[in-house]
Amino acid sequence: MTTSQLVGFTSLLPFPLDAFQERACRALEAGQSVLVAAPTGSGKTIVGEFAVHLALESGRKCFYTTPIKALSNQKFHDLVERYGADRVGLLTGDNTINGEAPVVVMTTEVLRNMLYAGSRTLVDLGFVVMDEVHYLADRMRGAVWEEVIIHLPESVALVSLSATVSNAEEFGEWLGTVRGETRTVLEEHRPVPLFQHMLVGRQMYDLFADEEATDPADRREQKVNPELLRVARDDWASSRMRDRRAPRGTGGGPKSGRRVGNGRRVWIPSRFEVVDRLERSGLLPAIVFIFSRLGCDSAVQQCLDANLRLTTPAERDRIHDFVEERCAHLPDEDLAVLGYHDFLDALSRGVAAHHAGMLPTFKECVEELFLQGLCKVVFATETLALGINMPARTVVLEKLSKWNGETHADITPAEYTQLTGRAGRRGIDVEGHAVVLWQPGIDPRSVAGLAGTRTYPLRSSFRPSYNMAVNLVHQVGRERARELLESSFAQFQADKAVVGLARQLRKADEALTGYADAATCARGDFMEYAGLRRRLSDTESTMAKSRRADRRREVLDSLEALRPGDVIEVPTGRFAGLAVVIDPGTRADRDGPRPFVLTADRHARRLSLADFATPVTAFTRMRIPKDFNGRNPQSRRDLASTLKHRTHGLTPPPPRRTDGPAPAEDGRIADLRAQLRAHPCHECPDREDHARWAERWHKLDRDAGTLRRRIEQRTNTIARQFDRVCEVLTALEYVDGDQVTDRGRTLMRIYNDMDLVAAEALRSGLWADLDPSELAAALAALVFESRRPDDAAERPRLPAGRVRDVLGEMVSLWADLDALEREHAVDQLREPDLGFCWAAHRWAEGDDLDSVLDAVGLAAGDFVRWMKQLLDVTDQVADAASGTPLRQVARECAARLRRGVVAYSSVSD
């Protein structure tokens, strides 16, 4: 193949290639695999499209993989437009179009499953494009990318497209070890300059003093705009002023704001005002990231309430016609519950939300109209940043923190770059703009740090799953599978860390030799003598700790024996002296009893263990009046007077001594001291000098031991995880040595993260007597996960009948597997979540969308997404249940679920 292939390809493009694109394409044409790491919007997908071109020109196949179905559909339409529908196919699990075409776009999971199944579609495969390959860091799904990279045939050239990461060279080096010669092409320059701003009230400030530098690499030494720093200082001062005449504003209306230190008021604009400011500055179209579904919907409503119109009458007509046509498949009876008319009204004005709770069809409309320039403002959660091609002139970040599933956390430099990277449309905008909204307490220097940092490394999240294990053992046997897993990026990174640790260990070993030489004594083995000294010191220290523990135990016992009315001598502390116990406080604190006492000096105090250096014994008793009140001075005076009278002439017992070693302990110390005195090195005049070197040797040897343990922990970590997974599978008789049993072959067909629970349910016939709707409810427990932990606290609504018992048995089955996992140090299976079971059952029974959504409190988009995942696992169960009646039940279950809004295969689910 000659360079004319690249020339022919570039002739199809409306623009010349950038230098990094040309470097990558030439390497690919030369037969190398390539890794391209470049900013969002820089055009790295051109390299993937060149792989498609090479495949078609050479009569081979090209698979174009993406992390999400939405991106797969988007890329499918792009390639169909360029190469024709007859030469491009689509495989996304629930959508199959022309699957045997020479170019097939698919999700990465589909390709992984094809590799394990040995699909005939892989014949003549020449190229695989892995778009958004940095997804392999994803905790939930990242392992799929590494599985594909490891298992692809050696003859396949790999095109890996990644966002900018700081360890791209390391990732490229790993690709070279598993894929052969791989060219790493890095590009940090953005084709459209990105300018950073902060919107403070009505005033837009440049973030940096010199906004000429637009790349993070050039910004590391840049100074923050001094005017912004002055605003921040004024805000800091105002937060410490007690000026009741200038309270903080709510941020919700046109008069909201706060007065800063110099007396002027800084407005906190509403979301409508932000859009209005952007429009007046010519900064639309814009994406406003809010990080809250409710916030996105509220922002759209604010714009509607303000009668905002960003479109012309002609644009409104085009939007209306487009949405009506695209949503024509939606049942008329569902339009109201889906909020269709409000959605259409807002979109016709040029405003829309975009988040996972929206119906996939609605999101598709927003994405397409935004690309056409008809939708002017999108209020979005961060899910929009996950690969969908929606560049804007401006990106706005309302806040710099978001809910991560557990807590509100600051966004990372990687997330900031991913979000703001959408600003600046190549070929349309001369420059892009990133705007952070000023909030009280914000530090412009921290914003500058986010904008100027390139410290977001790609970290592998790979770990062997049960499905992966049985598929690998079936294909290549256990030992070869182990070797394959050791070639993962996760192990590569662990081994790279081991290289550094091993270097430290070598230096430590060299230093240990030097220290030992320096401690050499002509009179005898000084390291032996130093060992005796250390044993003596450790023994004395241990015995001292033991004595303190014994004394503490005695003190605790003595305090726990106290009763109301006991008269004691408080041995130490501010309240030492005679006291009467009012309340022993035995249930007061986990650190021991805290007796409430009245002292002879009329102090009523609750004491602690610190006040009792020695055990305490009551030496007399007295009656406590029932109406005694420690806060009443007269009560205290009366009881203190009685205490003095009651103890007049009495002598408290001496404190009990608990010091002094036991005879056996004393003998051990004496024996060690005798051995020291008898050692030849004891009389050496340089003894203490030798001892200092020996002590250094001991401390370094201890540190070296820690290094050795860390190296051992990181060596073969993935293989050890695989061994533990195989032990669980062996215990359950899914694997027998190098063989996969019949049970294991069932597990090979289930790719859900609850794969083992599903396989065990199939094996035990747990679902055998369920009807299709009941099966939908049972399988829903394997896919659904509540968005918030507190969702699980509410008792879920469950269908009646046999399936309710089956769900209970599934939870018990999981509990048994969980115990087996703990026995083998494995942690993969989560508890089944029953929160979607009722919805799945009712939908399969034919209930309308309104009643189902109302009962379970789910947004339409969430409902459709969980239904799509339920359909995936239902199809897998049907496949795994081959030869049994359950297979037909599962197929009928899938048929019942595929109706209404679920039946339409959207690009965004």
Side-chain angles (χ1 to χ4, degrees):
M1 193 175 292
T2 66
T3 54
S4 61
Q5 292 292 356
L6 183 56
V7 173
F9 174 70
T10 53
S11 68
L12 302 173
L13 303 175
F15 50 81
L17 294 180
D18 289 341
F20 84 93
Q21 294 169 328
E22 184 170 347
R23 289 199 309 274
C25 288
R26 291 197 181 280
L28 190 59
E29 193 172 22
Q32 299 176 326
S33 292
V34 293
L35 165 64
V36 182
T40 300
S42 60
K44 53 183 175 287
T45 55
I46 288 293
V47 184
E49 292 170 9
F50 182 56
V52 171
H53 179 84
L54 287 177
L56 292 173
E57 291 298 314
S58 61
R60 289 179 289 172
K61 291 182 178 179
C62 178
F63 290 170
Y64 198 111
T65 75
T66 72
I68 51 178
K69 295 175 184 178
L71 194 54
S72 290
N73 281 272
Q74 196 173 67
K75 183 53 63 175
F76 168 71
H77 292 306
D78 292 345
L79 293 176
V80 164
E81 188 175 343
R82 176 174 295 171
Y83 297 110
D86 60 322
R87 298 208 284 179
V88 183
L90 176 68
L91 293 173
T92 60
D94 63 321
N95 209 353
T96 300
I97 302 172
N98 198 15
E100 295 300 321
V103 178
V104 183
V105 184
M106 62 185 67
T107 54
T108 317
E109 281 89 351
V110 170
L111 178 53
R112 186 271 311 272
N113 299 352
M114 290 170 62
L115 287 167
Y116 281 151
S119 172
R120 292 181 55 195
T121 308
L122 296 167
V123 175
D124 295 329
L125 180 63
F127 301 88
V128 166
V129 180
M130 301 196 77
D131 204 353
E132 309 283 347
V133 74
H134 52 271
Y135 249 74
L136 64 78
D138 183 77
R139 184 175 60 87
M140 299 300 295
R141 299 170 55 209
V144 175
W145 275 256
E146 291 191 51
E147 289 179 78
V148 169
I149 292 169
I150 292 170
H151 300 314
L152 275 174
E154 292 182 10
S155 59
V156 176
L158 187 66
V159 181
S160 304
L161 308 178
S162 171
T164 306
V165 292
S166 56
N167 62 331
E169 296 89 345
E170 178 191 41
F171 184 49
E173 184 183 350
W174 171 70
L175 287 171
T177 64
V178 293
R179 302 299 318 158
E181 190 174 4
T182 300
R183 176 77 176 275
T184 299
V185 178
L186 305 180
E187 177 62 35
E188 291 193 38
H189 177 72
R190 285 176 49 93
V192 179
L194 177 63
F195 293 91
Q196 307 276 346
H197 313 280
M198 288 190 71
L199 181 60
V200 183
R202 299 187 180 99
Q203 180 69 40
M204 186 87 76
Y205 292 92
D206 290 340
L207 177 59
F208 295 100
D210 176 14
E211 261 294 345
E212 292 303 312
T214 59
D215 286 330
D218 302 326
R219 285 204 168 117
R220 291 167 194 156
E221 303 302 324
Q222 269 197 288
K223 293 182 178 179
V224 178
N225 188 336
E227 292 185 59
L228 275 176
L229 294 177
R230 187 159 49 250
V231 170
R233 283 195 302 270
D234 291 344
D235 173 49
W236 180 87
S238 75
S239 69
R240 280 150 181 77
M241 291 175 61
R242 297 176 180 266
D243 186 354
R244 296 181 180 274
R245 294 168 298 174
R248 290 189 181 218
T250 62
K255 293 185 178 181
S256 61
R258 68 181 290 182
R259 193 178 303 280
V260 295
N262 62 1
R264 62 191 175 86
R265 185 176 291 276
V266 172
W267 303 106
I268 303 175
S270 69
R271 287 156 178 164
F272 158 70
E273 290 172 319
V274 171
V275 174
D276 184 59
R277 176 70 170 80
L278 295 175
E279 183 188 26
R280 286 187 287 104
S281 302
L283 294 178
L284 298 182
I287 299 172
V288 182
F289 285 107
I290 292 181
F291 304 138
S292 159
R293 296 179 179 189
L294 182 61
C296 293
D297 293 336
S298 298
V300 172
Q301 190 59 50
Q302 285 179 29
C303 293
L304 290 177
D305 293 344
N307 199 29
L308 178 70
R309 291 186 182 274
L310 301 174
T311 53
T312 65
E315 288 175 329
R316 287 197 291 276
D317 290 342
R318 287 175 59 192
I319 292 170
H320 188 276
D321 292 344
F322 177 87
V323 175
E324 289 274 77
E325 179 184 354
R326 190 59 63 94
C327 297
H329 68 282
L330 297 175
D332 290 342
E333 62 271 18
D334 291 342
L335 295 181
V337 68
L338 294 172
Y340 172 78
H341 301 292
D342 290 339
F343 168 75
L344 178 57
D345 181 25
L347 199 47
S348 67
R349 296 166 180 261
V351 180
H354 189 289
H355 56 73
M358 291 173 61
L359 191 71
T361 307
F362 288 2
K363 286 195 292 182
E364 178 185 347
C365 291
V366 173
E367 291 158 8
E368 183 61 34
L369 291 172
F370 195 83
L371 282 174
Q372 293 180 26
L374 296 174
C375 181
K376 312 296 183 179
V377 175
V378 172
F379 297 98
T381 59
E382 73 275 14
T383 54
L384 187 146
L386 299 179
I388 303 298
N389 181 30
M390 279 180 62
R393 177 168 296 164
T394 303
V395 165
V396 179
L397 272 67
E398 186 173 87
K399 292 183 179 178
L400 295 177
S401 66
K402 65 184 182 72
W403 179 257
N404 63 10
E406 297 178 357
T407 183
H408 281 93
D410 294 338
I411 65 172
T412 65
E415 290 169 329
Y416 184 90
T417 301
Q418 182 84 357
L419 294 166
T420 59
R422 293 192 170 277
R425 296 165 297 174
R426 187 170 187 175
I428 302 176
D429 297 318
V430 177
E431 59 194 33
H433 299 270
V435 180
V436 174
L437 298 190
W438 182 86
Q439 300 284 345
I442 199 169
D443 183 357
R445 286 166 296 197
S446 66
V447 182
L450 289 172
T453 301
R454 186 183 179 254
T455 56
Y456 22 93
L458 187 61
R459 294 284 177 233
S460 172
S461 61
F462 184 84
R463 66 174 185 173
S465 68
Y466 294 114
N467 171 273
M468 184 195 306
V470 290
N471 273 292
L472 284 176
V473 172
H474 175 72
Q475 285 188 335
V476 297
R478 187 162 171 175
E479 192 55 40
R480 175 62 181 145
R482 208 172 184 275
E483 294 173 6
L484 282 172
L485 294 177
E486 286 188 321
S487 65
S488 66
F489 187 42
Q491 188 60 56
F492 182 82
Q493 289 189 308
D495 290 344
K496 291 272 282 191
V498 165
V499 171
L501 293 174
R503 187 181 303 115
Q504 293 179 49
L505 185 57
R506 282 196 303 274
K507 290 181 178 179
D509 287 338
E510 292 170 4
L512 284 170
T513 302
Y515 291 168
D517 289 344
T520 301
C521 178
R523 300 197 178 196
D525 186 346
F526 197 90
M527 296 305 290
E528 180 184 66
Y529 177 76
L532 282 171
R533 286 177 61 147
R534 178 152 297 281
R535 283 171 58 195
L536 174 60
S537 174
D538 290 346
T539 301
E540 290 176 333
S541 175
T542 300
M543 290 180 178
K545 288 180 182 177
S546 177
R547 287 194 297 272
R548 287 196 295 271
D550 290 344
R551 184 165 60 248
R552 187 177 190 274
R553 181 68 260 170
E554 288 189 39
V555 170
L556 284 172
D557 290 344
S558 70
L559 292 178
E560 288 173 353
L562 294 178
R563 297 292 178 265
D566 283 348
V567 177
I568 62 173
E569 174 87 6
V570 180
T572 56
R574 285 179 56 200
F575 307 106
L578 291 175
V580 59
V581 176
I582 310 298
D583 169 26
T586 52
R587 293 192 296 269
D589 195 271
R590 65 181 181 180
D591 292 327
R594 299 198 59 197
F596 183 61
V597 303
L598 178 74
T599 70
D601 295 330
R602 301 197 299 273
H603 293 296
R605 293 291 186 272
R606 192 169 290 281
L607 305 180
S608 70
L609 201 61
D611 295 295
F612 298 92
T614 57
V616 64
T617 304
F619 62 94
T620 188
R621 290 182 56 78
M622 58 183 286
R623 190 179 67 82
I624 307 296
K626 290 184 179 180
D627 60 350
F628 175 76
N629 183 353
R631 295 182 180 179
N632 186 302
Q634 186 61 48
S635 287
R636 293 200 304 271
R637 275 196 299 269
D638 291 346
L639 189 59
S641 176
T642 303
L643 172 62
K644 290 179 180 179
H645 182 267
R646 182 74 180 80
T647 58
H648 182 70
L650 293 179
T651 302
R656 285 154 47 189
R657 302 291 298 175
T658 58
D659 297 336
E665 297 172 347
D666 197 28
R668 216 180 326 161
I669 291 175
D671 182 56
L672 285 170
R673 286 175 176 165
Q675 290 183 54
L676 267 181
R677 288 192 295 270
H679 197 283
C681 292
H682 189 65
E683 300 300 330
C684 176
D686 298 321
R687 181 183 68 191
E688 294 309 311
D689 185 47
H690 296 330
R692 281 191 292 273
W693 285 108
E695 182 62 23
R696 291 178 187 175
W697 183 95
H698 172 77
K699 289 180 179 178
L700 185 57
D701 183 61
R702 184 176 56 202
D703 293 342
T706 301
L707 282 173
R708 288 188 183 90
R709 286 191 295 275
R710 290 175 63 190
I711 289 172
E712 183 180 343
Q713 289 168 358
R714 297 189 182 205
T715 303
N716 303 320
T717 51
I718 303 300
R720 288 204 302 272
Q721 289 179 30
F722 174 71
D723 288 340
R724 292 194 292 269
V725 166
C726 285
E727 287 169 7
V728 172
L729 293 173
T730 300
L732 295 170
E733 300 181 4
Y734 284 80
V735 170
D736 183 6
D738 274 354
Q739 300 298 316
V740 174
T741 65
D742 289 340
R743 292 183 185 181
R745 278 187 279 277
T746 298
L747 179 58
M748 286 170 58
R749 300 173 181 177
I750 300 174
Y751 297 97
N752 180 268
D753 62 350
M754 296 284 279
D755 48 11
L756 195 55
V757 176
E760 281 290 279
L762 283 167
R763 181 190 64 77
S764 63
L766 191 56
W767 301 327
D769 297 329
L770 299 180
D771 66 29
S773 298
E774 291 173 331
L775 182 62
L779 297 182
L782 300 180
V783 299
F784 182 72
E785 291 185 73
S786 304
R787 286 189 66 211
R788 297 178 302 276
D790 55 346
D791 289 348
E794 299 180 12
R795 187 181 181 89
R797 186 174 182 180
L798 298 178
R802 160 73 178 150
V803 69
R804 186 184 292 255
D805 296 332
V806 168
L807 288 168
E809 291 175 46
M810 286 175 63
V811 174
S812 297
L813 174 60
W814 163 81
D816 292 339
L817 291 174
D818 184 59
L820 183 62
E821 282 194 325
R822 287 200 301 273
E823 183 181 330
H824 293 280
V826 177
D827 180 20
Q828 295 206 13
L829 302 173
R830 59 172 176 80
E831 182 175 357
D833 191 325
L834 309 185
F836 194 61
C837 298
W838 191 88
H841 182 266
R842 296 318 306 166
W843 184 253
E845 284 289 283
D847 283 13
D848 61 76
L849 182 66
D850 190 4
S851 63
V852 174
L853 294 184
D854 183 61
V856 296
L858 281 176
D862 291 325
F863 173 77
V864 172
R865 186 173 71 256
W866 290 122
M867 276 295 172
K868 293 289 188 180
Q869 293 189 33
L870 176 56
L871 278 166
D872 280 347
V873 79
T874 304
D875 290 337
Q876 292 169 25
V877 167
D879 186 32
S882 177
T884 69
L886 182 62
R887 184 175 202 178
Q888 187 55 41
V889 175
R891 286 179 170 173
E892 173 62 23
C893 173
R896 291 188 184 186
L897 295 176
R898 283 191 180 94
R899 66 179 181 86
V901 293
V902 179
Y904 181 70
S905 295
S906 169
V907 303
S908 302
D909 47 353

